[in-house]
Amino acid sequence: MFLRSHLRDGGRVPASVQPYFFLSYAHTPRFGAGGPDPDMWVERLFRDLCSHVMALTDLPAGSDAGFMDREIRSGEGWSERLGAALATCRVFVPLFSPRYFASEMCGKEWFAFAQRAIQHGAVSNERAEAIVPALWVPVPPSQLPGPAERLQFNHNTFGERYVTDGLYGLIKLRGYAEQYERAVYELAKRIVRVAETVRLEPVRPLDYRVVPSAFGPSGSPARTLHVTVAAASRHDLPDGRSPEYYGESALDWNPYHPVSQRPIAYVAEDLVKNLNYRTTMSSFDDESGHFDSKQPPTRPEILIVDRWAVEDEHRRRRLAAFDQEARPWINVVVPWNRYDHQGRAKEAELARRLEETLPVKMGQGRAACRAAANGVANMETLGQILPQVVEAAAQQFLRHAQVYLPAGNSTTERPRLLGPMGMGGPPLPPPAPFPPDAHGGRGGSRGGPQAGPHGGRHGPEGRAGHDDPHDTDRGDADDSES
């Protein structure tokens, strides 16, 4: 209670109540009625890690060495407790296994912590590598989602048997007791070293129920998203505009200076990668032939616009022409810093000119998309709203993308009903909206501290088109105009 009230009030959280690590794992269902709890081995690992962390640090008695969801008491709000732990823990320890990357809840935990690390990196201009993975059951590299695949981590330092059998194999087999102890001790040392090196600041907890998964939607193929920035460089600024927010190209624009030390394009890239996308980036000024509505889309896109960009007449005309084309798979995000004194002085004028230039995009789509187009005031809000904007762009892309027929079959029989209920024949393979060389993705669901028969937590959980330039994305069930 003290921790949550401290975060809610914006106070500084004492180090003694910041868990050194958050243990993220996929709950294993029981085999057979009355069988032993399979997660008791994870709990043993957790307690062994906590003992090592206490011995390796000067944490006072009663401090939280670590957090695991089995510590949530009956009747305590699980989403609030998880959110508070993810907002304060120093290191995130995911237990890799095939079941882990099929779990939506594990993906939510990863996303929430990584979001925090991205914001820390934007403020400090240093990578915040505070995720320390552990192998519970070895997973082939080809099955890792993008966020896990990009981690720079050498598991070989924990021992050969650890790499081949994982902690689950070591803890279950008596002959590997020494290898288990070595691996756990090395893992604890890594946790302490990272915690004391990176020093992530606590943040306000995210609403865990509506956080997306870092592993992407269940069964989705590998995905790519393009980020375009419409902004000036410091060499072609409007008269009187301060150059402190700009660099050598549009990709160097940093609207949240001086709070953020990184350009907005690279912060957005990290946020999008945290949703299991590959990303590409470019300047709007360099994309003269890119926005052609007559061609089918090849990826969803985000266009990040500086309101000052409309001060350049040539760029303003190009933006206006872009707005009149039917491209609902491209969503607009307009960062806006209220501490930029020049921007505040001309806010009403610049906002009006941008609305006149992009009337379709400013009113298109879901409430989150419209809010993003009308001004995102700070880094925290950007981190919350961008995943929703990306999801809306991805769904519009799937509606409008070219359909690729299965390879090796030049003609496909038209679907037809067979039998009284339309059954009785082999199903046709579904067409894929992504190019044939794309690879598959992963997703899934996860049980909580007291998982039911289907693995769900006992608590609340979050979660054919037409070429119309005024497409407002009303075809999705969760679209809202409110």
Side-chain angles (χ1 to χ4, degrees):
M1 179 63 69
F2 165 77
L3 177 59
R4 289 200 297 274
S5 63
H6 229 67
L7 288 169
R8 186 170 56 248
D9 298 338
R12 187 175 183 84
V13 178
S16 60
V17 298
Q18 289 183 246
Y20 253 75
F21 69 95
F22 182 107
L23 188 65
S24 176
Y25 68 102
H27 291 269
T28 302
R30 293 178 187 267
F31 179 74
D37 179 8
D39 291 332
M40 66 180 180
W41 302 108
V42 178
E43 186 169 9
R44 177 185 163 184
L45 168 66
F46 172 74
R47 302 206 177 281
D48 289 343
L49 282 172
C50 287
S51 296
H52 285 311
V53 168
M54 292 297 291
L56 292 168
T57 65
D58 60 354
L59 283 174
S63 299
D64 291 327
F67 175 88
M68 124 180 237
D69 62 9
R70 289 168 77 90
E71 294 190 323
I72 299 177
R73 296 183 296 272
S74 178
E76 187 176 8
W78 65 270
S79 62
E80 291 83 0
R81 185 72 177 89
L82 282 173
L86 287 164
T88 56
C89 67
R90 307 184 191 191
V91 177
F92 184 76
V93 181
L95 287 188
F96 282 16
S97 70
R99 189 180 297 278
Y100 185 84
F101 295 113
S103 166
E104 181 185 13
M105 290 302 174
C106 292
K108 285 171 174 279
E109 291 169 358
W110 187 305
F111 177 90
F113 183 84
Q115 191 92 328
R116 181 177 155 209
I118 290 168
Q119 291 189 18
H120 176 91
V123 171
S124 65
N125 201 24
E126 295 179 356
R127 288 284 179 183
E129 302 291 353
I131 296 179
V132 177
L135 299 179
W136 185 244
V137 177
V139 181
S142 61
Q143 295 181 15
L144 295 175
E149 186 180 18
R150 286 188 290 271
L151 287 179
Q152 301 295 318
F153 194 87
N154 183 10
H155 292 283
N156 292 318
T157 59
F158 291 3
E160 181 180 350
R161 280 294 179 185
Y162 167 81
V163 174
T164 58
D165 296 282
L167 288 166
Y168 177 74
L170 300 186
I171 202 172
K172 289 285 288 183
L173 301 175
R174 293 181 181 177
Y176 293 154
E178 183 177 342
Q179 290 92 327
Y180 169 77
E181 293 295 342
R182 175 194 169 187
V184 174
Y185 179 60
E186 292 295 332
L187 178 59
K189 287 199 300 183
R190 183 73 61 91
I191 290 170
V192 171
R193 184 163 62 250
V194 171
E196 296 182 348
T197 302
V198 177
R199 296 190 178 276
L200 284 183
E201 289 293 328
V203 298
R204 185 181 295 108
L206 297 176
D207 186 347
Y208 189 76
R209 293 165 296 182
V210 298
V211 166
S213 169
F215 309 149
S218 175
S220 67
R223 305 177 297 175
T224 299
L225 183 137
H226 188 72
V227 176
T228 305
V229 180
S233 73
R234 63 162 52 120
H235 304 294
D236 59 348
L237 292 172
D239 292 340
R241 177 61 171 148
S242 172
E244 62 181 322
Y245 300 96
Y246 300 88
E248 293 300 312
S249 77
L251 296 181
D252 296 320
W253 176 46
N254 181 7
Y256 299 123
H257 171 81
V259 173
S260 174
Q261 302 299 310
R262 299 190 69 211
I264 187 69
Y266 298 99
V267 175
E269 180 185 38
D270 286 345
L271 292 170
V272 171
K273 283 182 176 179
N274 194 30
L275 295 165
N276 197 21
Y277 281 90
R278 296 188 295 264
T279 58
T280 54
M281 295 193 300
S282 65
S283 164
F284 182 79
D285 291 351
D286 298 335
E287 293 283 349
S288 57
H290 168 66
F291 299 108
D292 183 0
S293 64
K294 297 182 176 60
Q295 299 297 322
T298 59
R299 61 207 170 182
E301 304 187 32
I302 300 298
L303 175 62
I304 302 176
V305 180
D306 179 8
R307 284 176 177 168
W308 289 89
V310 297
E311 294 288 271
D312 179 276
E313 184 58 25
H314 175 68
R315 190 182 295 118
R316 190 200 66 78
R317 286 199 301 267
R318 287 194 58 229
L319 283 168
F322 155 78
D323 188 64
Q324 294 305 308
E325 298 288 347
R327 281 182 286 258
W329 56 89
I330 304 177
N331 280 333
V332 169
V333 177
V334 181
W336 184 250
N337 183 356
R338 296 193 180 278
Y339 298 101
D340 175 352
H341 299 297
Q342 288 182 324
R344 288 189 65 181
K346 295 191 65 173
E347 180 173 4
E349 177 187 346
L350 292 173
R352 176 184 56 77
R353 291 204 68 193
L354 187 60
E355 289 172 5
E356 293 171 351
T357 303
L358 300 174
V360 175
K361 286 297 182 185
M362 300 293 279
Q364 171 182 284
R366 306 176 181 184
C369 297
R370 299 193 301 275
N374 281 279
V376 181
N378 52 53
M379 286 283 301
E380 183 178 1
T381 305
L382 179 71
Q384 294 170 358
I385 204 167
L386 189 62
Q388 302 175 61
V389 175
V390 167
E391 179 191 1
Q395 291 192 4
Q396 286 291 344
F397 165 73
L398 291 175
R399 284 188 186 179
H400 296 84
Q402 181 177 347
V403 172
Y404 290 84
L405 296 176
N409 188 3
S410 57
T411 58
T412 303
E413 183 181 2
R414 292 173 62 87
R416 55 197 176 98
L417 297 175
L418 298 175
M421 298 297 292
M423 298 181 291
L428 293 173
F434 287 85
D437 60 351
H439 302 288
R442 286 150 297 277
S445 61
R446 172 190 181 188
Q450 299 175 331
H454 301 291
R457 288 189 191 272
H458 288 222
E461 290 195 22
R463 298 243 48 335
H466 55 281
D467 292 330
D468 179 3
H470 301 280
D471 190 334
T472 56
D473 201 18
R474 291 191 176 89
D476 301 320
D478 59 346
D479 288 350
S480 171
E481 294 296 327
S482 59

